[in-house]
Amino acid sequence: MLTRKPATLPDFDTVDEERLHRKQRLAAGFRLFSKFGFDEGVAGHITARDPKHADHFWVNPLGVGFSQIQVSDLILVNADGEVVDGRLPVNQAAFAIHSEVHRARPDVISAAHAHSIHGKSWSAFGELLQPLTQDSCAFFEDHALFDDYAGVVLDVEEGRRIAAALGPHKAVILRNHGLLTAGQSVDEAVWWFITMERTCQSQLLVEATGRAPILIDDQEARRTAGLVGSSLAGWFSFQPLWDRITAEQPDLFG
Ligand SMILES: [Zn+2]
């Protein structure tokens, strides 16, 4: 009889092993973002901090579709925005935003941003999400609003303001733009993005009825957040998606 062991947080013997692990998770994250329909043109980036050079991060190169990204396509960007490993250029917006998020939050290993349809639609209200469902409680008192829009983010100063708005939270809604999530692993950042996008969709569906929903009360939302919103819960929730995408698209390891 086949038995399946529960997923456990990985351990690494070497920094090279840990780097490869992060890059594989990153490539899988892009494939999943595409599968969920989060890609639009060349917008969107997911980053993973390098395990050795803490001020460097791995990211998708500008202009390569999420659906085709392989581990070998990922580029390493230093603190000055220079590509120090890889052949293709970095998206300037990816550097402007992610470098400042990684700098402001040493605990953040990975940050994810895309122009997904429900996230960007919800962002136009300039409001936080409400505790409407059990899943939405992952974001209760743990997301923020960047209540400004000043064009495409090309400037690290704006990235700094986004990082300040994010504060200690797992996510920030960028008004008139989209969502950004952060985590202590690539797995976690990608999962928060996926479930936050769906939480936006859920709230938009509820509001579209014109009927008044019943909110989860603060105490219950806080208690639920402690379960579904923990770093470990975020990591764990990603594992079935990892199993699925690596079985379906093993070329991502290329
Ligand atoms: Zn963007």
Side-chain angles (χ1 to χ4, degrees):
M1 191 176 83
L2 280 172
T3 54
R4 183 184 276 270
K5 286 193 291 187
T8 50
L9 282 166
D11 273 332
F12 304 99
D13 292 328
T14 67
V15 77
D16 289 343
E17 258 182 45
E18 186 166 20
R19 179 178 295 119
L20 179 62
H21 177 88
R22 288 185 190 179
K23 289 171 71 177
Q24 290 174 341
R25 299 283 155 154
L26 206 48
F30 288 115
R31 298 297 184 101
L32 286 163
F33 267 34
S34 180
K35 200 170 180 66
F36 281 96
F38 301 164
D39 35 8
E40 184 151 336
V42 298
H45 4 92
I46 314 173
T47 50
R49 190 189 295 279
D50 187 75
K52 184 173 181 189
H53 306 286
D55 62 349
H56 290 38
F57 58 78
W58 294 90
V59 66
N60 50 312
L62 178 63
V64 179
F66 289 179
S67 67
Q68 296 187 316
I69 287 183
Q70 296 184 306
V71 170
S72 58
D73 291 323
L74 299 171
I75 57 175
L76 182 65
V77 178
N78 71 12
D80 296 320
E82 297 159 349
V83 176
V84 294
D85 191 340
R87 299 174 306 278
L88 295 165
V90 62
N91 181 331
Q92 184 55 31
F95 177 71
I97 299 173
H98 291 247
S99 64
E100 292 302 324
V101 168
H102 283 288
R103 192 196 310 270
R105 289 278 300 275
D107 63 307
V108 165
I109 297 299
S110 177
H113 166 67
H115 297 179
S116 54
I117 187 69
H118 302 99
K120 69 179 174 182
S121 300
W122 175 256
S123 80
F125 289 119
E127 288 176 20
L128 294 176
L129 292 159
Q130 292 179 302
L132 294 178
T133 64
Q134 177 171 306
D135 295 328
S136 73
C137 290
F139 301 98
F140 184 71
E141 296 175 335
D142 199 15
H143 72 299
L145 174 67
F146 180 63
D147 196 9
D148 191 9
Y149 180 76
V152 177
V153 184
L154 295 174
D155 172 8
V156 289
E157 182 50 41
E158 179 139 14
R160 207 163 292 152
R161 293 171 56 228
I162 290 171
L166 172 67
H169 302 302
K170 63 162 66 82
V172 59
I173 296 167
L174 311 177
R175 177 161 63 74
N176 304 108
H177 184 172
L179 309 176
L180 183 141
T181 58
Q184 294 172 25
S185 60
V186 174
D187 309 47
E188 191 192 334
V190 169
W191 171 253
W192 296 142
F193 195 96
I194 291 168
T195 192
M196 192 179 198
E197 159 69 11
R198 294 168 70 89
T199 294
C200 290
Q201 181 177 12
S202 166
Q203 179 145 0
L204 289 166
L205 285 170
V206 168
E207 294 199 357
T209 66
R211 299 177 60 197
I214 299 166
L215 295 182
I216 298 172
D217 71 56
D218 286 4
Q219 193 181 352
E220 205 51 58
R222 206 167 286 133
R223 205 171 68 86
T224 305
L227 293 171
V228 303
S230 72
S231 183
L232 184 62
W235 177 86
F236 194 71
S237 299
F238 177 81
Q239 303 315 309
L241 296 172
W242 163 263
D243 291 344
R244 176 179 171 183
I245 202 72
T246 54
E248 283 179 10
Q249 301 184 20
D251 65 303
L252 71 85
F253 290 107

